[in-house]
């Protein structure tokens, strides 16, 4: 199973970006919690947002009101819409998903990072 993240790039402060994260390959019974994390240079990886299969969401205080996480269960894909971007949002963004691969096994997977750079 792989998580493929995409959508990062360079944007001016105040701008918007949409990140996508798709789970594919292997055997996927179901994709449970999906989330986005970020890691800025010299800092620890931090939670940005998570969403359950049922659509319940959780956000870091620093992004509430600006970022929106959503998902398409049929496509095993999560999205992160980022509005009103600030220079402090600059980081490598990683998606994470807890995936049921058999009737009795779940495992957490990480996608490759996608870089978001916000210029002032």
């Amino acid at each position: 199973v792989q998580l493929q993240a995409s959508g990062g790039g360079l944007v001016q402060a105040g701008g918007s970006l949409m990140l996508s994260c798709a789970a594919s390959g292997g055997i996927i019974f179901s994709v449970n919690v999906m989330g986005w994390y970020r890691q800025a240079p010299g800092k620890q990886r931090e939670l940005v947002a998570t969403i359950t299969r049922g659509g319940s969401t959780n956000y870091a205080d620093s992004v509430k009101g600006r970022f929106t996480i959503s998902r398409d269960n049929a496509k095993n894909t999560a999205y992160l819409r980022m509005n009103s971007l600030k220079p402090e949002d600059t980081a490598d963004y990683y998606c994470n998903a807890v995936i049921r691969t058999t009737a009795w096994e779940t495992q957490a997977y990480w996608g490759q990072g996608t870089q978001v750079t916000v210029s002032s």
Side-chain angles (χ1 to χ4, degrees):
V1 176
Q2 298 179 45
L3 292 182
Q4 181 67 44
S6 62
L10 172 64
V11 64
Q12 289 187 331
S16 299
L17 283 174
M18 171 81 89
L19 305 183
S20 298
C21 173
S24 64
I27 297 174
I28 298 176
F29 272 53
S30 63
V31 181
N32 299 336
V33 176
M34 301 186 79
W36 289 94
Y37 295 72
R38 66 186 181 187
Q39 187 167 18
K43 295 187 176 181
Q44 289 188 329
R45 190 172 296 187
E46 63 176 5
L47 170 72
V48 176
T50 61
I51 184 167
T52 67
R53 186 171 181 80
S56 295
T57 58
N58 179 54
Y59 295 92
D61 288 343
S62 58
V63 306
K64 283 181 181 177
R66 300 188 298 121
F67 291 11
T68 301
I69 189 170
S70 60
R71 64 188 287 170
D72 184 334
N73 289 333
K75 295 181 179 179
N76 292 330
T77 300
Y79 306 93
L80 185 69
R81 177 68 177 180
M82 304 184 293
N83 294 329
S84 303
L85 283 160
K86 304 175 181 180
E88 51 263 44
D89 294 317
T90 295
D92 289 326
Y93 284 69
Y94 297 88
C95 63
N96 174 275
V98 176
I99 298 174
R100 180 170 295 281
T101 54
T102 71
W104 55 88
E105 291 181 349
T106 60
Q107 185 173 343
Y109 291 84
W110 287 94
Q112 87 287 5
T114 184
Q115 190 172 48
V116 172
T117 302
V118 184
S119 62
S120 57

